[in-house]
Amino acid sequence: MKKFKFTKERFALCIILAISAILNFANLTIEGYGNGYYAAGVKSMLMNFKNFFFVSFDPAGFVSIDKPPLGFWIQTISAKIFGFSGWSILFPEALAGVISVGILYYIVKRSFGEIAGLISALCLAITPVFVATSRNNTIDNLLIVTLLFACLFLSKAAEKGKLKYLIISLVLVGLGFNIKMLQAYMIAPALYITYLISSAVPVKQRIKHLIISTLILGVISLSWAVAVDLVPSQNRPFVGSSTNNTVTELIFGHNGLERLSSTNGGMGGGPSGKVGNPQSKEFRSNFGKNQANSQSGNSNAPSGMTPPQNSGNSAQGQQGGPGGETTQGNSKNQGGGPGGGGPGGSNGLSGSFGGQTTAGVTRLFSKNVLSDQIVWFLPLAIFGLATSVIVEKLKFPFDNKKKLGLTLWTLWLVPEFIYFSYTKGLFHPYYLTMLAPPIAALCGIGLTSMWKLYKEGSIKSWIMPAAFIAEGLVHLLMLSYFTTTISTTIKCIIIAAIILCFASAALLIIYRIVKKGNLDQGNSGRLAKIFTALALIGILVTPAIGSAAAITHSLSSLPAAGLELLSNSKSGNSMMMGGQNSSKNSKLIKFLENHTSNEKYALVVSSSASAEDIIIESGKSVMALGGFSGSDKILSLDQFKQMVKKGEVRYVLTGGMGGRDSQDIMNWIQKNGKAVSTTEWKDTTSSQAQKSVNSNNNNKKENSSKENSSFQHQGMDGMNNETLYDLKGTVK
């Protein structure tokens, strides 16, 4: 057994892991329950095994969450161990972020050495979008850690030609599929091509291995979906966001084609800022939670969560978050930034989410909601990739770790960069966390390759200073987007870091001109190492600031960090997250406790937006009649009447978001039900606060277009004019 030695490299790794842990875990409780839609699902899943297996959104098992189960199973197990709380739900994602940093170090180190591994790990640890998703329950970083382990075993399979390692790799991808469905397959080109071009075993054997492993991948991926679809629909929850109550359709519909198609993406408009359907998921998820902030008198409610004004202006108008991820009031909203960033916000960032921004190779660098989430290390990764191709002489045969590792990371990065740059489908800024590992890996690999060429001299030695200059220019570009919205102190620190980067690059150029020959001779390269380290520090400062902002600024349930989070946003936890705005629901919950007994559903609402807080706070069975957005056609009017007749349903809360596809039911309720006096169930303090909000919104309407006036009427008035109906005795 080898004796463990605590080397300076291992000490550095411990420091990096500690940084990651601090960024991911520190002050995590300010996030509340994170995404209330998912948190309500976890609360329901804790109640019985049926809810757990089918990922039920509500305690009675009426409709499921519109995602696969594995990520939420992990969250539920955590909540079971530590008790149901926001922290216990967020814990698995935060831990997954730290583990991802460690596993990336190990993968890069085993092929390119410890220095490359350390740089890669550090870059990943402080990438803003990676930190943001590590502090949220949207499960993306659970997928990331799973895929990184898949890459580790794929690397071993490609190096040794071992079928068992390839099977393990693709089994892990299959598990990733059961975390985020088709998103897990985004690294498939990297895995398949890397193994196929390896030369450890003959090509026929490689193809045979891939066929066998692919069959296993298919079985693992579809195991839960097939199991659910085989269960009679009456014995399980309706599959949320599907059109035919099957997981198979959910895979290829809402979680498949809608992510590729601008017509199905549910984005509610394009970069012009036009508003979408007020009943759509993207409107509902952003706007619904803002009402909680408004009703609680939250002065820090982000202006970006208000309804769009003047739809023709890309700097105005707000969309909500789409498809399965709700937006709750806090300092970072999907309008593009905290405190009112994005269209309609003071940041002036275009788009509400990815597909709304202008497609093209410059999309990730443009002034939009994607701006400062992932680009910080992208120039270094691109220069590093080009340099590594030169150094490693990337051509057949692919018979060593470095060639295979470089191929793996390149084929992870390039297809995804193209996808996120050009797709007009539905994707949120936090999906960009998928780019964080390959970018970080290529930074570490590339910088060590650039240093090698720099030491050797010749024209290739200019690549490293050029990379630092490119990095400085990109950081300067990002700063220009936020010059009027971040504090002077932060601005000065960032400017100093950029100057340090430029100055160090200039000194490296001068030093290379003065010093001839190979710098490996004697101590001639010591100053160059210092200049390189200073340039790297200059590159790391700004993304580290953006990531650290997440410690003191609560994120959105569509998480994003970076300079956006620091723009016109107050620190602290004054933001109301899902399940924390108890003042709005406490009186309603008490009313239901006093007036319901044997009903299967204590309350019926139009969509999950009106249900999730009540479920989180009380654990009561609340039926979201139309699923997540209110658009799922789950029950017919006759079926609903039968439930009323059986005594399964008594109280219905009309209004709120969604409900268009269940309008016939709502119309029948309003016609036949008995309205309950608001004094019995509605908090008057919240109502008075809302009146003030309504008055303010009426003033804003004066400058709104007809389209946005309709938007406000259908959206805000629907949210505010909630009525509780008693259906007892309406069906005999």
Side-chain angles (χ1 to χ4, degrees):
M1 183 176 179
K2 292 183 179 180
K3 186 178 179 180
F4 179 81
K5 293 183 180 180
F6 198 71
T7 63
K8 60 181 180 180
E9 286 80 12
R10 288 174 178 170
F11 177 75
L13 176 61
C14 290
I15 295 296
I16 293 170
L17 291 175
I19 291 171
S20 179
I22 292 170
L23 290 174
N24 293 357
F25 282 100
N27 207 18
L28 191 59
T29 54
I30 68 169
E31 304 303 337
Y33 290 101
N35 187 306
Y37 174 64
Y38 294 148
V42 171
K43 182 68 173 280
S44 301
M45 292 165 66
L46 282 167
M47 295 184 175
N48 56 65
F49 181 77
K50 181 179 179 181
N51 286 356
F52 179 82
F53 181 78
F54 292 110
V55 205
S56 177
F57 165 73
D58 59 283
F62 178 71
V63 64
S64 72
I65 294 173
D66 57 7
K67 292 291 182 290
L70 186 54
F72 302 110
W73 286 349
I74 294 171
Q75 290 180 12
T76 304
I77 292 170
S78 175
K80 185 70 174 178
I81 295 172
F82 299 109
F84 179 76
S85 67
W87 185 90
S88 67
I89 294 172
L90 301 178
F91 172 77
E93 288 73 34
L95 181 61
V98 179
I99 295 174
S100 295
V101 171
I103 195 65
L104 180 66
Y105 161 79
Y106 179 74
I107 296 172
V108 175
K109 173 222 170 188
R110 63 190 300 274
S111 298
F112 294 92
E114 289 183 329
I115 300 301
L118 291 171
I119 295 171
S120 299
L122 182 56
C123 289
L124 181 63
I126 64 172
T127 297
V129 70
F130 180 77
V131 173
T133 49
S134 293
R135 297 177 63 89
N136 194 268
N137 56 335
T138 48
I139 65 179
D140 283 68
N141 276 8
L142 287 173
L143 173 62
I144 291 296
V145 72
T146 303
L147 297 182
L148 283 172
F149 275 108
C151 287
L152 172 60
F153 284 99
L154 187 281
S155 298
K156 292 183 176 182
E159 293 161 13
K160 301 179 180 180
K162 297 288 187 179
L163 175 60
K164 65 178 180 180
Y165 291 132
L166 181 61
I167 290 175
I168 294 172
S169 176
L170 294 191
V171 164
L172 287 166
V173 176
L175 294 176
F177 183 91
N178 283 288
I179 295 175
K180 210 73 190 293
M181 289 188 174
L182 292 173
Q183 187 174 329
Y185 286 177
M186 294 183 79
I187 70 162
L191 302 181
Y192 276 76
I193 295 175
T194 299
Y195 189 77
L196 190 60
I197 65 175
S198 65
S199 56
V201 293
V203 64
K204 289 184 178 180
Q205 192 169 349
R206 278 175 262 157
I207 293 173
K208 180 181 177 181
H209 287 176
L210 285 171
I211 292 173
I212 295 171
S213 301
T214 301
L215 292 174
I216 296 173
L217 169 64
V219 171
I220 298 296
S221 298
L222 299 176
S223 56
W224 180 79
V226 172
V228 172
D229 288 350
L230 288 176
V231 175
S233 59
Q234 65 270 22
N235 296 331
R236 59 170 172 79
F238 182 91
V239 178
S241 296
S242 70
T243 59
N244 64 359
N245 195 14
T246 66
V247 180
T248 303
E249 194 281 329
L250 180 67
I251 293 170
F252 296 103
H254 174 67
N255 290 328
L257 294 177
E258 286 189 18
R259 312 292 162 162
L260 301 173
S261 169
S262 59
T263 57
N264 293 327
M267 291 181 284
S272 65
K274 289 186 178 181
V275 297
N277 176 4
Q279 302 295 341
S280 65
K281 291 185 179 182
E282 66 276 8
F283 166 77
R284 176 287 235 197
S285 57
N286 248 1
F287 180 69
K289 282 300 173 183
N290 189 45
Q291 303 308 302
N293 283 329
S294 299
Q295 292 172 2
S296 64
N298 179 8
S299 62
N300 198 22
S303 61
M305 297 288 278
T306 59
Q309 309 291 328
N310 195 358
S311 64
N313 187 344
S314 64
Q316 295 180 349
Q318 277 307 308
Q319 314 301 319
E325 294 88 2
T326 60
T327 298
Q328 298 159 12
N330 56 43
S331 58
K332 168 70 185 72
N333 60 74
Q334 283 310 293
S346 57
N347 291 340
L349 302 177
S350 68
S352 298
F353 45 95
Q356 281 187 312
T357 60
T358 303
V361 71
T362 60
R363 171 186 271 178
L364 301 184
F365 299 89
S366 301
K367 191 176 183 180
N368 57 51
V369 293
L370 310 175
S371 294
D372 66 338
Q373 298 307 303
I374 195 66
V375 300
W376 298 105
F377 305 118
L378 191 53
L380 187 61
I382 294 171
F383 275 87
L385 169 59
T387 306
S388 299
V389 168
I390 296 171
V391 171
E392 303 305 330
K393 298 179 175 60
L394 197 64
K395 60 182 180 180
F396 285 99
F398 286 79
D399 54 359
N400 63 60
K401 291 181 179 180
K402 289 186 175 182
K403 286 184 178 182
L404 292 170
L406 184 58
T407 301
L408 177 66
W409 297 118
T410 302
L411 291 175
W412 182 337
L413 174 62
V414 174
E416 291 192 16
F417 176 79
I418 293 171
Y419 170 78
F420 286 120
S421 296
Y422 288 95
T423 183
K424 295 182 180 179
L426 182 152
F427 78 92
H428 302 299
Y430 70 86
Y431 287 11
L432 295 174
T433 192
M434 284 289 291
L435 286 171
I439 289 175
L442 288 171
C443 282
I445 295 168
L447 195 54
T448 54
S449 296
M450 285 187 278
W451 172 251
K452 182 177 181 180
L453 292 182
Y454 181 83
K455 289 191 303 179
E456 292 176 355
S458 78
I459 194 172
K460 297 175 185 176
S461 64
W462 302 106
I463 296 178
M464 187 169 71
F468 290 144
I469 292 171
E471 277 284 334
L473 290 172
V474 168
H475 287 213
L476 191 61
L477 177 67
M478 292 298 109
L479 176 62
S480 71
Y481 298 157
F482 303 96
T483 51
T484 61
T485 57
I486 60 176
S487 71
T488 302
T489 302
I490 296 297
K491 198 184 308 179
C492 289
I493 294 173
I494 294 172
I495 291 172
I498 293 172
I499 292 173
L500 179 63
C501 182
F502 284 142
S504 299
L507 290 171
L508 283 168
I509 293 172
I510 295 170
Y511 190 80
R512 188 66 268 187
I513 293 173
V514 173
K515 289 285 185 178
K516 305 292 183 181
N518 195 313
L519 297 182
D520 275 335
Q521 299 173 358
N523 295 323
S524 58
R526 182 177 298 175
L527 274 178
K529 288 181 180 179
I530 294 173
F531 297 150
T532 302
L534 290 174
L536 184 59
I537 291 171
I539 291 170
L540 295 173
V541 167
T542 309
I545 290 173
S547 294
I551 297 175
T552 54
H553 297 71
S554 56
L555 305 177
S556 165
S557 52
L558 300 181
L563 299 184
E564 294 180 30
L565 202 57
L566 293 168
S567 299
N568 293 337
S569 179
K570 299 177 182 179
S571 62
N573 60 352
S574 61
M575 287 302 160
M576 291 297 174
M577 305 297 291
Q580 289 186 305
N581 188 23
S582 58
S583 61
K584 177 186 175 184
N585 299 309
S586 58
K587 194 169 184 179
L588 174 59
I589 292 171
K590 188 174 182 179
F591 174 87
L592 295 174
E593 288 174 348
N594 294 333
H595 293 82
T596 57
S597 55
N598 298 322
E599 292 83 3
K600 183 177 181 180
Y601 300 97
L603 182 67
V604 176
V605 296
S606 59
S607 68
S608 66
S610 302
E612 56 198 36
D613 285 344
I614 299 173
I615 293 172
I616 291 171
E617 294 163 27
S618 68
K620 288 192 171 298
S621 300
V622 183
M623 176 196 291
L625 187 60
F628 170 77
S629 64
S631 61
D632 293 348
K633 188 64 176 177
I634 304 176
L635 291 178
S636 67
L637 178 57
D638 289 339
Q639 289 173 320
F640 184 79
K641 288 180 180 179
Q642 285 299 311
M643 295 182 73
V644 175
K645 184 177 181 179
K646 293 177 182 178
E648 295 178 341
V649 169
R650 178 176 177 181
Y651 291 102
V652 179
L653 186 64
T654 62
M657 301 306 300
R660 170 178 292 183
D661 292 333
S662 303
Q663 197 59 49
D664 55 342
I665 297 177
M666 289 300 180
N667 289 339
W668 180 85
I669 291 168
Q670 292 170 347
K671 183 178 179 180
N672 296 277
K674 179 183 177 182
V676 180
S677 173
T678 56
T679 59
E680 295 188 51
W681 63 273
K682 198 167 188 178
D683 182 76
T684 55
T685 304
S686 297
S687 300
Q688 290 298 323
Q690 189 59 49
K691 286 181 180 179
S692 175
V693 174
N694 290 344
S695 176
N696 182 50
N697 287 325
N698 287 333
N699 292 332
K700 290 181 180 181
K701 285 183 181 180
E702 295 178 4
N703 296 321
S704 299
S705 65
K706 290 182 179 180
E707 181 178 23
N708 284 324
S709 295
S710 173
F711 172 95
Q712 290 179 319
H713 175 75
Q714 296 179 56
M716 294 193 66
D717 293 349
M719 285 293 296
N720 301 333
N721 296 330
E722 294 180 330
T723 304
L724 184 66
Y725 286 94
D726 185 351
L727 301 183
K728 186 176 182 180
T730 56
V731 180
K732 297 180 180 179

